[in-house]
Amino acid sequence: MSKNKKVTMSDIAAAAGVSQSTVSLVLNGSNSVKIAEVTKQRVFAAAKELGYTNPKVFHALGRPKKIALVINGLSNLDPFIEAINGAHEEAWKKDFVLVTFNYGHDEELAKKIEAEINNGEYSGVIYASSMTRALEKQQVSSRLPTVLLNCFNHANKDIPSILPADMIGAYRAVQYLIEQGYEHIAHITGESWMLATQYRLEGYRQALIDADIVPSQAYVHEGNWSLKEAYLKTHEMLSLPKPPQAIFCSSDYMAMGCYQAIFERGLNVPKDIAVVGYDDQPIAKESFPALTTVELPYAEMGKQSVDTLCALIDRQPILSLRRKVEGMLIVRDSVKA
């Protein structure tokens, strides 16, 4: 294989005659699945034969250096999985294997994970939250280089954090609606205590104010991230003496409830009323009409968390301790241009 070509897990799997998942488990040093020692040695031999011999990756025992990603809870359908996937890909590009630990709010398990991370085989740790939030305390060991992903720590501001630029995303969504000629723009929010809700509401209001449009409380309704609540709140707003011309929803999922209420009224999207969502989930592209939305840049956030951690490991300067990653406005068919 050419020295200029990046060696991948697929290359190693093909050379060793095993599955890609087996390669991942072996290079992770995972003990969750029992793998024959002869198979492990075949994987290590194939990796070295293909030129994957970076000393940063292999210990004296032939095991890779690792980065830990610790998360406090995640479901299979959680869009935050994209951040973890992005982190895994970037770590592999940088000759690290990223190992994910999910302690699901179990503090005893969290302590065991911390002990595992501090056993000398990890170069750094990414502490992640599927929900944007402030940490009440430092929940991971500070003995290793540490980056916070989708969370931040008021108590220790020296720990770099990677966050979504939710306020800017919401601002762009509403600004786009204003540019298309809409003035009476409503907003269906998530749960009011959540930072994502607060930032998106702030972006919505600021875009209106900058366009000399006075925000109306009659057009702001809490939808609790629920399709049903969004459906009910849309019906309420459509019954107002002056119903909105457009509705900005804090999630694509809520936008689907919005669609349903609009169609039940015999109205058309976008001919009679425009709808914009947030997150750019698969349902946004597959809905009819296809939903204009704002990308939630989880994959890029995951990659940047690894980049930042690698800079800390290499003792390089960090340009920003709190980096906010912007998502693109994706224009589709739910807004009349």
Side-chain angles (χ1 to χ4, degrees):
M1 179 171 291
S2 169
K3 291 183 179 180
N4 294 325
K5 183 179 178 182
K6 177 72 177 180
V7 179
T8 67
M9 286 191 183
S10 295
D11 297 328
I12 297 170
V18 298
S19 69
Q20 187 172 333
S21 60
T22 297
V23 172
S24 178
L25 288 168
V26 172
L27 295 183
N28 269 328
S30 173
N31 294 318
S32 60
V33 178
K34 189 173 182 179
I35 299 174
E37 186 61 32
V38 65
T39 301
K40 292 181 181 179
Q41 294 306 319
R42 196 159 71 242
V43 169
F44 288 129
K48 291 179 180 179
E49 184 177 347
L50 290 172
Y52 199 78
T53 56
N54 191 325
K56 183 176 70 173
V57 180
F58 288 97
H59 286 276
L61 295 176
R63 298 177 67 183
K65 273 196 173 180
K66 295 176 280 191
I67 290 171
L69 188 149
V70 182
I71 189 164
N72 62 341
L74 194 67
S75 67
N76 289 334
L77 299 178
D78 194 319
F80 192 73
I81 287 175
E82 289 302 313
I84 296 177
N85 290 339
H88 272 283
E89 291 175 6
E90 190 66 15
W92 184 246
K93 288 178 183 177
K94 293 181 179 297
D95 296 328
F96 280 94
V97 172
L98 186 140
V99 184
T100 304
F101 298 92
N102 183 354
Y103 69 89
H105 303 285
D106 184 331
E107 294 302 324
E108 286 301 314
L109 179 56
K111 291 177 182 178
K112 291 180 180 179
I113 290 171
E114 183 174 325
E116 162 68 17
I117 291 170
N118 288 321
N119 69 6
E121 294 185 354
Y122 292 84
S123 297
V125 58
I126 298 168
Y127 183 84
S129 172
S130 60
M131 176 182 70
T132 305
R133 66 192 182 103
L135 300 179
E136 295 179 1
K137 59 181 180 178
Q138 179 56 40
Q139 293 168 279
V140 290
S141 171
S142 60
R143 288 190 289 171
L144 292 173
T146 301
V147 172
L148 303 180
L149 175 57
N150 207 31
C151 52
F152 54 94
N153 192 332
H154 286 308
N156 191 340
K157 296 181 181 180
D158 291 333
I159 300 177
S161 57
I162 311 297
L163 301 161
D166 278 330
M167 190 186 79
I168 293 174
Y171 185 98
R172 286 177 175 166
V174 177
Q175 183 183 54
Y176 175 71
L177 287 168
I178 294 169
E179 290 171 351
Q180 306 315 306
Y182 297 96
E183 294 183 6
H184 306 299
I185 302 169
H187 182 34
I188 301 178
T189 77
E191 293 175 275
S192 60
W193 60 270
M194 295 181 67
L195 289 179
T197 296
Q198 295 166 18
Y199 292 146
R200 293 173 196 182
L201 177 58
E202 185 178 353
Y204 159 81
R205 286 178 171 157
Q206 192 60 53
L208 293 177
I209 291 169
D210 287 351
D212 294 325
I213 299 172
V214 178
S216 170
Q217 193 55 42
Y219 285 163
V220 178
H221 289 254
E222 184 174 331
N224 297 330
W225 309 110
S226 160
L227 186 152
K228 182 178 180 180
E229 281 298 308
Y231 163 83
L232 294 173
K233 299 302 183 183
T234 301
H235 269 301
E236 286 182 26
M237 289 189 287
L238 292 177
S239 298
L240 291 171
K242 184 177 286 186
Q245 301 167 321
I247 301 177
F248 166 50
C249 297
S250 268
S251 77
D252 297 336
Y253 187 62
M254 288 196 297
M256 296 302 100
C258 187
Y259 268 22
Q260 186 176 349
I262 292 169
F263 297 150
E264 282 188 5
R265 293 293 186 106
L267 300 174
N268 177 273
V269 177
K271 181 179 178 181
D272 299 308
I273 185 167
V275 179
V276 175
Y278 206 107
D279 295 343
D280 192 33
Q281 291 301 292
I283 196 172
K285 184 168 60 176
E286 296 167 2
S287 62
F288 184 81
L291 181 66
T292 295
T293 187
V294 178
E295 172 196 29
L296 190 54
Y298 278 152
E300 179 61 26
M301 287 167 58
K303 292 177 182 178
Q304 290 197 23
S305 70
V306 172
D307 287 341
T308 302
L309 185 60
C310 287
L312 290 177
I313 292 169
D314 293 338
R315 300 182 183 276
Q316 296 177 359
I318 303 299
L319 298 180
S320 175
L321 288 175
R322 186 173 294 188
R323 186 179 304 172
K324 292 197 173 182
V325 182
E326 298 180 18
M328 293 176 56
L329 173 69
I330 300 171
V331 176
R332 297 195 178 104
D333 301 327
S334 62
V335 178
K336 185 168 57 178

